[in-house]
Amino acid sequence: MSDWKILVSDGLSSGGLDILKAAAQVDDKPTITPDELLATAAEYDAFVVRGRTKVTPAVFAVATKLKVVGRAGVGADHIYLPAARAKGFTVVNAPTPT
């Protein structure tokens, strides 16, 4: 298992969570608030988000360990891509379930 720490917000299937948990430490926080995300973003190497979580420039600014944001679903309009690019973060989209 890697030493990566992944935040999963907005819920994910148990199968998806199992895949992630086999590879990294996973915090499943389906009801995380914007303030909680901002307060804890620096702890994570990766975020897996769905439609509810907004990954804003403020979140990217404090996410010092972040390497990748995965969008479980279609589109990435709630992820501020210019801020992700400016910080060198990778943003990926998985529009279909596993």
Side-chain angles (χ1 to χ4, degrees):
M1 182 182 334
S2 80
D3 59 351
W4 275 44
K5 187 173 180 182
I6 301 171
L7 170 67
V8 176
S9 67
D10 309 338
L12 197 61
S13 72
S14 60
L17 284 172
D18 289 344
I19 291 168
L20 293 174
K21 288 177 179 178
Q25 177 185 339
V26 176
D27 288 344
D28 183 19
K29 298 183 178 185
T31 61
I32 193 167
T33 67
D35 288 339
E36 290 169 334
L37 177 60
L38 203 55
T40 61
E43 299 175 22
Y44 296 99
D45 299 284
F47 300 151
V48 177
V49 301
R50 298 192 79 178
R52 187 183 62 81
T53 299
K54 307 290 187 242
V55 188
T56 64
V59 171
F60 284 123
V62 299
T64 54
K65 289 177 56 180
L66 191 68
K67 297 165 188 69
V68 63
V69 178
R71 162 66 162 119
V74 177
D77 56 328
H78 58 287
I79 301 168
Y80 194 75
L81 296 176
R85 275 189 227 103
K87 292 282 206 165
F89 301 141
T90 300
V91 176
V92 296
N93 184 21
T96 57
T98 57

